[in-house]
Amino acid sequence: MRQGEGEAISTVEQAIDLISVVKEIHGLNSQELNKLLRDSENFTILFVTEQGLDVKIDVEKLAGFLPLHLIAVLVSSDRDEALLRYLLCGIRILHSLCELAPRHTKLEQILLDDVKVSEQLIDLVFYVLIVLNDYRQDIHDSGPVPVLLSALVACSFYLLTGCISSQWQDLALVMVAHPKVDMFMDVACRAIHLVVRFLQNKLSVQHIEICVKLSSTTESMVNYLCQQCEASLQFLQLLCQQKPFRERILKNKELCGKGGILFLAQSILKLHAPDFAESSAIVAALSRLKAKVLSILLHLCEAESISYLDEVASSPASLDLAKSVAFEVLELLKTGLSKNPKHLSASSDRTYPMGLLQLNAMRLADIFSDDSNFRSYITVYFTEILSAIFSLSHGDFLSMWCSADLPVREEDATLYYEVFAAAGWALDSVSSLDLSNTSNLEFTFIPNSNMSQASYVHQRTSLFVKIIANLHCFVPNICEEQERNLFLHKFLGCLRMDPSKLLPSYAFITGPQKASAVQRNLRSLLSHAESLIPTFLNEDDLQLLRVFFDQLQSLMNPSEFEENRVQDDRSLGGCSSPLLRREPPNLNNRNGNLKEEMSENSAFQEEHFYVRNSHMDQADGVTRRDMMDDKDKSITPSGLKEIDRDVQNVETSGSDTSSTKGKNAVDKLAERHRENADVREDEKVETVQTEEKHRRKRKRTIMNDEQVTIMERALLDEPEMQRNTALIQSWADKLSHHGSEVTCSQLRNWLNNRKARLARLSKDARPPPEPDNAFAGKQGGPQQGHSLRAPDSPGQETTPSNTRGTRSMSRMNTSENPVAPEFVDYGAAEFVQCKPGQFIVLVDGRGQEIGKGKVHQVQGKWWGKSLEESGTCVVDVVDLKADRWVKLPYPSESTGTSFEDAEKKLGVMRVMWDSNKIFMLRPQ
């Protein structure tokens, strides 16, 4: 016999021996194996099989060969139930050996210290997850596959904690350092999603087939699938709590940019078990599942290095998906808030922790409502429940939101997952024809929240206030014009609806007394919110809530809540109300822009929008006469305009994601309302506010004018600063010397918010908001064809642009608005000498504004081209109005053929431009 043939036969015999060993000893737990090893010699145990045969097993060789053997079986075997069963047996043995390793030096050297074996163990887990994704066609399988696969996913994950480290921070570092970490993240997320779909199918099948009576066997099976699903999701959640792993996920395009995490979240949030409503274990398990996936989303949204919501908003498909997830979050909140805690305390056995489902949902709602891509969506879908809450009787409202105690609070816990027990239950269940002989599997829960009752309640109330503050804010440079007062008027309209359908277990005040009841509840919330500063709220949140209350109070009329008026309003459809006709004209003329942001898949419904309809147009004249006759000046058109002007100075609230808030303007507004609601601002205050509203960008950074100016100047030299964490930290430290402390996270969010605004301005074809101070100027006399006037002036028309996203530069100079701020050219660059560092505006051949920027070079050669001979300058574009793909007038393979290409090649949007198409910006 030749040597090669002998080695092959030996390998086959060894594989056969391993297969028989795996099948025989997988039922031995670590304690039983440890006992056999203590009684053994030379690390060889004597094992008696079920057939009574004595088998000798070299544990040292078993530990060394088993990982590679399982990989070989995985690659060569058919994708069937037998493979799943065998893999589960093998992983069960490996986990028991890893548990034994710290007690036995030989095992520790092989499984924990031998780099080669450790790599094989990690590869085994990776390959198992890859292969399991091939079982998607078995999603509706009612046999053993769902049970085996669900157990195999969870057991594979927790094998990593045994062979690498039980400390999650150490495990995260090892996983991030692995060359296949991106593949692992992708297949892990897909595998968990597959397990969720198995559970979803099981729940729906039970709903169809077993509508009368559920057996204990069925409940045990569903409960087991819930446990495996929770264990797998918990593994991902605990890794996401570690910064290195979380930041690596944010860089994964499949999971973030293309919505992998969102698909998983959507599937989990849609899990429902009406047939198991009496099973406290299953109800609690589903609640914990949803709380955990919301926790994962929170960790990603709160990451400092990369804005998760910006990544999500990078494509329409993922943005639509994110909005559908936001919708599910709001539905969870509606369901949770509709339950009276007093009634919940009377329920029977609530022995299982439910997870921080409501609190996490409110945290996400706070983040979404503070993001420019989601604020209007949250307004549309959540205002109704907010108005219902404020319609509660005063006693119920106080106990719900202004108390330091709740009858029932949420409890968070970590599932202590035992691989040996979980794998054993699955193997026993698929081997037994009668599941009634299999005992229920129960895992231990470790409480992981030291939050006191008072702290939980205060966090809940503070998030409630933040959401209102976020939705009410309007900042011209960030928000769409259609969003101005959108929440206020939507709230007013929804107050006229019947709140008992949304909160059936509460008492309400109806009729003419409803207006005073709502105002009383708001006053109580304001008073209670003051006690939450600064631990749970900041002053800006409170001031915005006070502004909302002042405006709401000025617009409410008790007589309009009488029953006959309610019926009239319902005939108009939706939650429309005569109150809404008091809104500024710019809100009435909504053209569906918000709805256009969402595709048909986003579960967006037209009737949820407040838009002017034919009924409202017909009644508009009557309403205006009623308003003029009202003695309360605060609700006359001029009074309302005054309020709207103040609201422009209020900058937004929320959780450090993508909005703005200004403190000084809010303070002035609140003080003015306290002293005299009818006192008008003098011209000096109005001028100051008009100037300040252009500088403020973001509320949470609490940046003053000087800090904002410093950052605008810095961005001219570093337009891509948001990609450089070290640079952001450096500037955050510098800014802190010029006002309030600015953290790295706050500055990054400010930058992301600014970037989102500029991107939106370049995309929209509507007239832009008023210019920033850095580019503002005054009219400098008659112009020669290129009047760079601020857009939005009454009595002016915009010349249509053929390029999507560009702004019209041609404006008619009328006497109706002589003081409107304008962009002014000193003349073309051929008449006015350009200097490096000057602020300029670029136009195309039709006089359309292309963007704003700063002169970089005016003389010499640039990439081989003479600037003097070609009559050009080199400029850095910092505010592009045109589309990024627009072709450049001087395209080059070296410097780029489009704005986007130039930015990619040079790191900044640096382009050559004709000097006669460059206009200077006059400094103030």
Side-chain angles (χ1 to χ4, degrees):
M1 182 181 296
R2 287 175 295 183
Q3 182 179 359
E5 293 177 354
E7 291 178 354
I9 293 173
S10 176
T11 302
V12 172
E13 291 176 347
Q14 186 182 65
I16 294 174
D17 289 341
L18 273 176
I19 291 174
S20 62
V21 167
V22 167
K23 291 180 177 179
E24 289 292 343
I25 72 167
H26 73 84
L28 298 176
N29 60 31
S30 57
Q31 290 83 6
E32 292 169 334
L33 281 174
N34 187 47
K35 185 175 183 297
L36 291 174
L37 282 174
R38 285 202 309 266
D39 299 337
S40 68
E41 295 180 1
N42 298 325
F43 227 58
T44 300
I45 62 175
L46 182 63
F47 176 71
V48 181
T49 65
E50 294 181 356
Q51 291 76 23
L53 300 176
D54 293 337
V55 178
K56 288 185 178 182
I57 302 173
D58 188 332
V59 178
E60 185 176 354
K61 289 184 178 180
L62 175 65
F65 291 135
L66 186 55
L68 193 58
H69 165 72
L70 292 176
I71 293 176
V73 172
L74 190 64
V75 173
S76 60
S77 301
D78 295 331
R79 306 293 190 260
D80 54 13
E81 174 192 337
L83 174 62
L84 297 179
R85 192 193 305 254
Y86 185 74
L87 287 175
L88 194 55
C89 291
I91 289 178
R92 192 184 191 192
I93 295 173
L94 281 174
H95 192 274
S96 296
L97 293 175
C98 287
E99 282 190 340
L100 279 178
R103 309 179 203 173
H104 298 275
T105 306
K106 287 186 178 181
L107 279 179
E108 187 174 24
Q109 290 173 347
I110 296 171
L111 294 173
L112 304 183
D113 296 340
D114 190 323
V115 176
K116 184 178 179 180
V117 175
S118 296
E119 289 178 350
Q120 291 173 358
L121 285 168
I122 296 175
D123 288 342
L124 171 63
V125 173
F126 286 13
Y127 291 139
V128 166
L129 295 176
I130 293 173
V131 169
L132 293 183
N133 280 278
D134 292 338
Y135 284 82
R136 291 183 177 274
Q137 68 274 10
D138 300 314
I139 198 71
H140 299 292
D141 193 329
S142 59
V145 171
V147 177
L148 291 172
L149 190 144
S150 300
L152 197 51
V153 171
C155 291
S156 298
F157 282 145
Y158 286 88
L159 178 61
L160 293 175
T161 63
C163 67
I164 297 178
S165 175
S166 59
Q167 300 298 316
W168 293 98
Q169 61 269 29
D170 297 335
L171 179 60
L173 290 173
V174 173
M175 299 305 296
V176 169
H178 196 281
K180 299 177 183 177
V181 61
D182 289 315
M183 180 203 72
F184 168 75
M185 290 176 173
D186 188 28
V187 297
C189 188
R190 290 174 184 270
I192 298 173
H193 194 189
L194 183 59
V195 174
V196 173
R197 292 180 64 189
F198 277 131
L199 174 59
Q200 190 176 40
N201 180 65
K202 192 69 176 177
L203 294 173
S204 61
V205 167
Q206 299 309 321
H207 184 68
I208 295 173
E209 297 180 353
I210 311 175
C211 297
V212 180
K213 185 177 180 180
L214 292 170
S215 66
S216 59
T217 299
T218 304
E219 184 175 337
S220 298
M221 180 64 70
V222 172
N223 186 42
Y224 179 80
L225 291 176
C226 287
Q227 291 172 339
Q228 305 314 301
C229 188
E230 180 179 1
S232 298
L233 185 67
Q234 179 178 277
F235 181 87
L236 183 61
Q237 176 203 11
L238 293 173
L239 281 179
C240 284
Q241 290 178 1
Q242 314 307 316
K243 184 177 179 180
F245 193 87
R246 179 171 63 244
E247 293 187 344
R248 191 57 184 258
I249 278 189
L250 289 168
K251 297 177 182 178
N252 189 303
K253 295 299 181 183
E254 290 293 327
L255 296 184
C256 294
K258 295 184 179 180
I261 294 290
L262 291 174
F263 277 117
L264 175 62
Q266 185 184 51
S267 296
I268 293 175
L269 295 177
K270 286 186 175 182
L271 289 175
H272 298 288
D275 296 320
F276 298 93
E278 300 300 321
S279 173
S280 56
I282 293 176
V283 170
L286 293 180
S287 179
R288 290 193 304 273
L289 269 174
K290 295 175 182 180
K292 282 179 167 60
V293 79
L294 293 185
S295 175
I296 291 174
L297 291 176
L298 280 170
H299 284 302
L300 295 179
C301 289
E302 293 171 350
E304 294 186 354
S305 61
I306 299 175
S307 172
Y308 176 64
L309 291 185
D310 282 354
E311 291 294 315
V312 165
S314 62
S315 72
S318 60
L319 183 58
D320 273 354
L321 181 60
K323 288 180 178 178
S324 69
V325 171
F327 177 80
E328 295 296 334
V329 172
L330 297 183
E331 288 298 303
L332 278 176
L333 271 181
K334 290 179 182 179
T335 301
L337 296 176
S338 66
K339 299 175 182 177
N340 194 327
K342 297 177 182 178
H343 299 174
L344 291 177
S345 61
S347 59
S348 57
D349 54 336
R350 297 180 60 85
T351 58
Y352 297 94
M354 304 289 287
L356 300 179
L357 179 59
Q358 189 179 120
L359 200 62
N360 286 346
M362 293 190 73
R363 287 168 177 164
L364 266 181
D366 173 31
I367 290 175
F368 284 138
S369 64
D370 192 34
D371 187 274
S372 56
N373 291 307
F374 297 91
R375 185 180 298 109
S376 297
Y377 190 79
I378 304 300
T379 300
V380 169
Y381 283 104
F382 199 55
T383 304
E384 189 176 356
I385 189 72
L386 292 176
S387 66
I389 289 173
F390 282 103
S391 302
L392 291 171
S393 65
H394 193 57
D396 280 345
F397 184 85
L398 289 179
S399 64
M400 190 176 183
W401 298 106
C402 301
S403 170
D405 188 26
L406 281 176
V408 176
R409 55 159 290 190
E410 297 175 311
E411 294 182 1
D412 197 18
T414 300
L415 176 72
Y416 183 75
Y417 188 70
E418 300 178 61
V419 172
F420 185 85
W425 196 96
L427 293 169
D428 291 343
S429 66
V430 298
S431 301
S432 175
L433 297 177
D434 185 7
L435 273 179
S436 60
N437 297 327
T438 305
S439 59
N440 288 332
L441 181 64
E442 294 288 343
F443 288 117
T444 303
F445 291 97
I446 304 173
N448 54 7
S449 177
N450 296 323
M451 191 188 310
S452 65
Q453 172 79 359
S455 178
Y456 172 84
V457 175
H458 292 332
Q459 280 196 39
R460 184 171 170 271
T461 301
S462 68
L463 290 168
F464 182 63
V465 172
K466 288 177 182 179
I467 293 170
I468 296 172
N470 292 344
L471 296 179
H472 184 54
C473 257
F474 179 84
V475 185
N477 289 338
I478 302 299
C479 303
E480 298 282 355
E481 183 63 28
Q482 297 94 325
E483 296 178 29
R484 188 193 301 272
N485 291 326
L486 175 64
F487 173 65
L488 175 66
H489 294 291
K490 179 76 175 177
F491 188 91
L492 278 167
C494 290
L495 281 178
R496 305 190 60 80
M497 302 179 69
D498 182 8
S500 61
K501 296 179 181 179
L502 294 171
L503 306 175
S505 58
Y506 288 95
F508 296 93
I509 304 298
T510 58
Q513 293 79 27
K514 185 174 183 178
S516 60
V518 171
Q519 294 174 18
R520 185 183 182 189
N521 287 338
L522 261 168
R523 276 193 295 268
S524 297
L525 182 62
L526 274 169
S527 177
H528 181 64
E530 290 178 355
S531 66
L532 303 180
I533 297 174
T535 306
F536 299 98
L537 282 173
N538 60 40
E539 185 65 29
D540 294 334
D541 297 316
L542 180 63
Q543 295 287 30
L544 269 176
L545 180 62
R546 184 174 290 117
V547 171
F548 172 72
F549 174 58
D550 289 342
Q551 290 187 268
L552 184 68
Q553 190 175 27
S554 67
L555 295 176
M556 293 182 71
N557 188 343
S559 63
E560 292 176 349
F561 288 97
E562 294 175 359
E563 291 300 322
N564 59 339
R565 296 295 296 274
V566 172
Q567 297 299 327
D568 292 339
D569 291 337
R570 288 176 180 172
S571 68
L572 296 178
C575 60
S576 302
S577 164
L579 293 170
L580 298 180
R581 300 179 197 125
R582 293 174 179 165
E583 64 183 304
N586 55 15
L587 255 182
N588 287 332
N589 298 324
R590 299 199 50 180
N591 54 11
N593 288 350
L594 294 176
K595 188 176 71 175
E596 292 173 0
E597 293 177 1
M598 291 162 260
S599 72
E600 297 175 357
N601 298 328
S602 64
F604 186 82
Q605 299 180 5
E606 182 178 357
E607 60 266 24
H608 286 283
F609 263 109
Y610 167 66
V611 294
R612 177 183 290 272
N613 54 34
S614 59
H615 298 283
M616 298 176 67
D617 290 332
Q618 295 169 3
D620 189 67
V622 178
T623 304
R624 288 176 181 170
R625 287 194 297 270
D626 294 340
M627 291 167 62
M628 294 299 294
D629 294 337
D630 200 313
K631 294 182 179 180
D632 186 356
K633 295 182 179 180
S634 63
I635 61 172
T636 62
S638 60
L640 188 55
K641 289 179 181 178
E642 183 179 14
I643 293 174
D644 292 333
R645 184 185 62 245
D646 296 328
V647 174
Q648 294 179 24
N649 297 285
V650 179
E651 304 195 1
T652 201
S653 132
S655 46
D656 294 350
T657 39
S658 67
S659 59
T660 58
K661 184 188 288 182
K663 184 174 180 180
N664 295 334
V666 184
D667 290 336
K668 294 174 182 176
L669 178 59
E671 181 179 356
R672 185 171 58 111
H673 279 287
R674 284 194 298 267
E675 292 177 354
N676 189 339
D678 296 325
V679 176
R680 304 291 182 86
E681 292 179 297
D682 57 24
E683 295 181 358
K684 180 178 179 180
V685 174
E686 184 174 351
T687 302
V688 171
Q689 290 182 337
T690 302
E691 294 174 351
E692 287 179 350
K693 73 178 180 181
H694 297 297
R695 294 194 181 104
R696 298 194 189 96
K697 301 292 182 183
R698 187 179 172 73
K699 116 179 152 174
R700 287 298 176 115
T701 55
I702 320 179
M703 288 167 58
N704 58 31
D705 298 342
E706 182 182 3
Q707 290 171 321
V708 171
T709 302
I710 291 173
M711 284 310 304
E712 292 291 353
R713 291 174 180 171
L715 286 170
L716 293 174
D717 296 322
E718 298 288 346
E720 297 300 321
M721 185 185 297
Q722 71 271 13
R723 299 181 181 179
N724 191 327
T725 301
L727 192 60
I728 293 176
Q729 184 62 61
S730 173
W731 277 105
D733 296 337
K734 293 177 183 178
L735 291 176
S736 298
H737 297 295
H738 297 274
S740 302
E741 180 183 1
V742 179
T743 66
C744 179
S745 175
Q746 289 172 328
L747 182 56
R748 177 178 289 105
N749 285 318
W750 186 90
L751 291 168
N752 289 334
N753 187 50
R754 180 181 181 275
K755 180 181 177 182
R757 174 177 62 87
L758 296 179
R760 184 167 60 247
L761 289 178
S762 68
K763 181 178 179 182
D764 294 343
R766 65 172 180 79
E770 295 181 3
D772 291 336
N773 279 352
F775 300 110
K778 297 181 180 180
Q779 178 67 21
Q783 303 302 315
Q784 302 180 8
H786 301 301
S787 176
L788 308 184
R789 181 172 301 178
D792 303 335
S793 299
Q796 299 178 356
E797 296 181 356
T798 302
T799 303
S801 170
N802 296 325
T803 304
R804 181 176 177 269
T806 59
R807 306 298 186 191
S808 175
M809 301 293 294
S810 177
R811 299 287 181 176
M812 297 295 295
N813 185 10
T814 66
S815 60
E816 294 179 17
N817 192 19
V819 295
E822 297 178 357
F823 292 125
V824 180
D825 69 273
Y826 271 133
E830 59 182 337
F831 300 111
V832 178
Q833 182 63 41
C834 291
K835 296 180 181 179
Q838 285 182 321
F839 295 109
I840 50 89
V841 172
L842 306 178
V843 299
D844 60 15
R846 300 186 304 273
Q848 304 289 340
E849 181 183 353
I850 298 298
K852 306 184 189 75
K854 185 182 72 170
V855 177
H856 175 71
Q857 182 179 341
V858 296
Q859 295 178 343
K861 292 187 176 182
W862 192 66
W863 290 90
K865 295 182 181 180
S866 172
L867 300 180
E868 292 90 345
E869 293 178 2
S870 60
T872 58
C873 294
V874 180
V875 298
D876 291 343
V877 181
V878 296
D879 186 359
L880 182 65
K881 305 294 185 183
D883 287 321
R884 298 170 63 86
W885 46 260
V886 170
K887 187 176 180 180
L888 295 175
Y890 298 93
S892 166
E893 289 297 324
S894 302
T895 60
T897 58
S898 65
F899 289 102
E900 184 177 27
D901 193 23
E903 186 177 31
K904 289 180 179 179
K905 292 180 180 295
L906 304 177
V908 295
M909 203 175 288
R910 185 166 293 166
V911 299
M912 284 182 64
W913 208 261
D914 290 328
S915 298
N916 60 0
K917 296 176 183 175
I918 296 177
F919 298 84
M920 299 299 106
L921 287 174
R922 174 178 295 173
Q924 288 186 332

